[in-house]
Amino acid sequence: MHKTLRCFDLVALGIGGMLGAGVFVTTGRATRLYAGPATVISYAIAGLCALLSAFCYTEFAVHLPVAGGAFSYLRITFGEFAAFMTGANLVTEYVMSNAAMARGFTSYLGAAMGISTTKWRFVLPFLPDGFNEIDVVAPAVMLIITLVICYITRESSVVNMILTALHILFIAFVISMGFWRGDWNNITHPGNPNNPSGFFPYGASGVFNGVAMVYLSYIGYDAVSTMAEEVRSPVKDISIGLSGSVVIVTILYCLMIDVEAPFSTTFRERREWVAMVVGVGASFGIVTSLLVAMMGQARYMCVIGRSNMVPIWFARVHPKTATPVNASAFLGIFTAVISLFTDLNVLLNMVSIGTLFVFYMVSNVVVYRRYVVIGTKNPWPTLSFLCLFSLTSIIFTLLWHLAPLGNPKPFVLATCVVIAVSILQVFHCMVPQARKPAFWGVPFMPWLPSISIFLNVFLLGSLDGPSYARFGFFSALAVLVYVLYSVHASFDVEIEGSLGQKNVEILEESAEMEDPSQKV
């Protein structure tokens, strides 16, 4: 694929990819069901988690500027099985989140035109609840965007920058109207007196449940990392693009505070014309997010196809457009079909857990790669640390959610924190780093990645049972595909891993030959 993207392209792609999903699809649900007005804190915590994960992504993307993001990073570190499981969850996560955004687009388009969403959709009574409301607008939007990304990359970035600029202006409009026309009493008094009141109506647990729900809002920066192969100067551009977009989007999220189109519904009570403007702006914002996310999901599938763990047909890059046309078309059509009949709530529950799982894996990988050189250093001290730290995080999470309230609970939780910090400090003092990044590395190693591991585990514990059931089902399906097809067809098996290792060595050599003046 052609190297056409610069840092401002990546920042715009990151903002465009994140902003629409968070503000216009998850905010209403997180506010109503979980955190209430404290959703602003949920977004701030989620932004911190995303920034820590973005640091981990950046270290890999700068050193190995290849397409495929987390899939590529895990494949060269933990092997093809871990990579395939992560890649399968990533693709599933993208498909579900894109279908959710497409359903949200219908709601906002209806709000902009003053038409009820029920007139855009019809119900098929013979289908189960959650899958029986047919939306014809959502798949139409998906197919149009699929055609766009099949033929252009640089041009898609230009279109995205224009839409993102308009989107930010619209966000500024929403923020200003919110401060001007909003009622501060809404922060402590619910519109429905039967609902819990106060800034923290559901307590601390509600805030963290809200974090888990809105975390998918930050999936857009992962899409940016998948396009590393198309970046002109990875050392400078990727580090600015990933971290910069996360920081900007977090600030905008925290300033913006009916479930499917919450902002249009809110402003309609104040001004009809404002609600219409919000609906139009939100529709453009969602289209921008879809454009970025669909570019990212196609590149994931393309790289998995290059490894031959799925049919190599998915890896085909069009000779004229330099885009992964087959992967784009297949996933676009598949996502359009899902958006046709699957309810928004079902889709959102399926996405959050995948996002957290992938970011958790990347945080582990960056620690392992920094402290272990395969073949020259014993990996067991690092693996033992990662397992013990994750286990301590799981125990803390279970105690937080399941232990009864009372005096022993704070003491037990504090003990878990002390144990986790002790494990981390012992590892930091006893195990030296095996390699230093040549260009850009996560600072305060291993503290920042470890905090990211802890936060991702904790947020995973905030999700409900059905989320885990769906995650288990898709993971089992991925294992089945791997056992029956991928393990037999992959290049690693065909030539005993030599090709994969050779590619890694070439990439590392090319990274080391970068201009030293670009070191960050």
Side-chain angles (χ1 to χ4, degrees):
M1 290 180 275
H2 297 164
K3 293 183 179 294
T4 58
L5 302 178
R6 302 300 298 267
C7 60
F8 47 82
D9 295 307
L10 298 182
V11 171
L13 286 167
I15 294 173
M18 288 182 274
L19 210 50
V23 171
F24 303 119
V25 179
T26 63
T27 302
R29 191 164 183 264
T31 302
R32 183 174 69 88
L33 299 178
Y34 297 109
T39 300
V40 63
I41 298 179
S42 297
Y43 270 115
I45 296 173
L48 172 62
C49 300
L51 184 60
L52 295 177
S53 296
F55 285 158
C56 300
Y57 268 84
T58 301
E59 179 168 329
F60 271 105
V62 166
H63 189 63
L64 299 173
V66 296
F71 171 82
S72 298
Y73 310 152
L74 266 83
R75 186 165 182 249
I76 65 173
T77 306
F78 288 156
E80 67 175 21
F81 177 71
F84 183 79
M85 293 300 296
T86 301
N89 274 288
L90 274 167
V91 172
T92 301
E93 156 194 330
Y94 271 110
V95 169
M96 299 303 170
S97 65
N98 290 341
M101 283 190 285
R103 299 280 291 198
F105 174 86
T106 303
S107 300
Y108 276 107
L109 185 62
M113 301 178 67
I115 301 175
S116 173
T117 306
T118 56
K119 295 183 179 180
W120 296 81
R121 298 169 178 166
F122 58 92
V123 177
L124 297 180
F126 56 85
L127 293 176
D129 290 342
F131 303 92
N132 60 349
E133 194 173 16
I134 305 302
D135 186 331
V136 294
V137 176
V141 172
M142 295 299 306
L143 293 176
I144 292 171
I145 296 177
T146 298
L147 287 175
V148 172
I149 67 170
C150 278
Y151 291 101
I152 52 178
T153 296
R154 173 62 186 173
E155 290 80 0
S156 294
S157 176
V158 173
V159 171
N160 172 77
M161 280 195 289
I162 295 172
L163 292 176
T164 299
L166 295 174
H167 194 186
I168 292 176
L169 289 175
F170 159 72
I171 293 295
F173 170 79
V174 171
I175 293 171
S176 60
M177 289 299 299
F179 278 104
W180 177 40
R181 303 296 301 178
D183 187 349
W184 288 102
N185 290 325
N186 291 331
I187 295 178
T188 55
H189 297 81
N192 185 346
N194 295 323
N195 292 336
S197 62
F199 186 74
F200 295 97
Y202 302 99
S205 61
V207 172
F208 286 105
N209 289 337
V211 175
M213 173 54 57
V214 304
Y215 203 30
L216 72 90
S217 307
Y218 293 92
I219 189 176
Y221 82 77
D222 176 83
V224 173
S225 74
T226 67
M227 290 180 270
E229 186 175 312
E230 298 158 87
V231 176
R232 290 186 183 179
S233 178
V235 174
K236 178 182 68 175
D237 295 339
I238 293 176
S239 57
I240 295 174
L242 285 175
S243 301
S245 60
V246 171
V247 171
I248 292 172
V249 167
T250 301
I251 293 171
L252 292 175
Y253 278 157
C254 292
L255 288 174
M256 296 188 67
I257 292 293
D258 180 69
V259 178
E260 292 190 332
F263 285 103
S264 287
T265 303
T266 299
F267 283 110
R268 188 173 296 281
E269 298 174 358
R270 296 286 181 175
R271 289 284 191 276
E272 188 77 18
W273 69 271
V274 175
M276 294 181 65
V277 172
V278 170
V280 173
S283 299
F284 277 112
I286 292 173
V287 169
T288 306
S289 293
L290 283 171
L291 179 68
V292 177
M294 291 179 69
M295 290 172 68
Q297 73 178 15
R299 280 146 183 81
Y300 267 117
M301 184 62 82
C302 175
V303 173
I304 298 174
R306 287 177 181 175
S307 69
N308 223 34
M309 284 189 272
V310 296
I312 201 168
W313 178 84
F314 288 106
R316 180 176 180 269
V317 176
H318 196 281
K320 292 183 179 179
T321 63
T323 59
V325 62
N326 291 349
S328 300
F330 173 82
L331 290 176
I333 294 171
F334 184 46
T335 307
V337 171
I338 292 177
S339 68
L340 177 67
F341 61 87
T342 309
D343 184 73
L344 180 65
N345 289 336
V346 174
L347 293 167
L348 290 179
N349 276 335
M350 296 173 73
V351 171
S352 296
I353 191 168
T355 306
L356 290 164
F357 171 75
V358 171
F359 291 172
Y360 164 79
M361 290 296 294
V362 172
S363 299
N364 278 274
V365 166
V366 77
V367 174
Y368 184 87
R369 186 164 174 79
R370 186 77 77 87
Y371 284 87
V372 176
V373 175
I374 298 174
T376 62
K377 188 170 182 178
N378 183 7
W380 286 109
T382 303
L383 287 174
S384 299
F385 159 71
L386 293 174
C387 291
L388 284 174
F389 191 82
S390 293
L391 180 61
T392 307
S393 302
I394 292 171
I395 293 173
F396 179 92
T397 302
L398 292 175
L399 289 172
W400 175 278
H401 291 287
L402 302 179
L405 295 175
N407 291 330
K409 185 173 182 177
F411 174 77
V412 174
L413 292 175
T415 301
C416 285
V417 172
V418 171
I419 293 173
V421 173
S422 300
I423 293 171
L424 182 54
Q425 182 62 33
V426 169
F427 175 74
H428 177 61
C429 295
M430 299 294 293
V431 181
Q433 295 186 37
R435 59 170 62 127
K436 297 286 187 180
F439 305 112
W440 196 98
V442 178
F444 306 110
M445 180 67 72
W447 294 92
L448 290 189
S450 298
I451 295 173
S452 179
I453 291 171
F454 173 82
L455 290 174
N456 282 300
V457 169
F458 184 76
L459 294 177
L460 280 167
S462 300
L463 297 173
D464 55 17
S467 297
Y468 280 94
R470 297 183 184 103
F471 178 74
F473 171 77
F474 281 105
S475 296
L477 186 62
V479 171
L480 188 64
V481 172
Y482 179 80
V483 170
L484 296 180
Y485 177 83
S486 304
V487 72
H488 306 288
S490 69
F491 288 147
D492 289 342
V493 172
E494 290 181 12
I495 55 178
E496 299 178 353
S498 59
L499 179 60
Q501 183 60 34
K502 183 179 179 180
N503 283 340
V504 172
E505 291 172 357
I506 292 173
L507 287 168
E508 290 180 343
E509 289 175 2
S510 64
E512 291 170 359
M513 292 173 63
E514 292 278 355
D515 184 359
S517 64
Q518 294 181 341
K519 291 185 180 181
V520 178

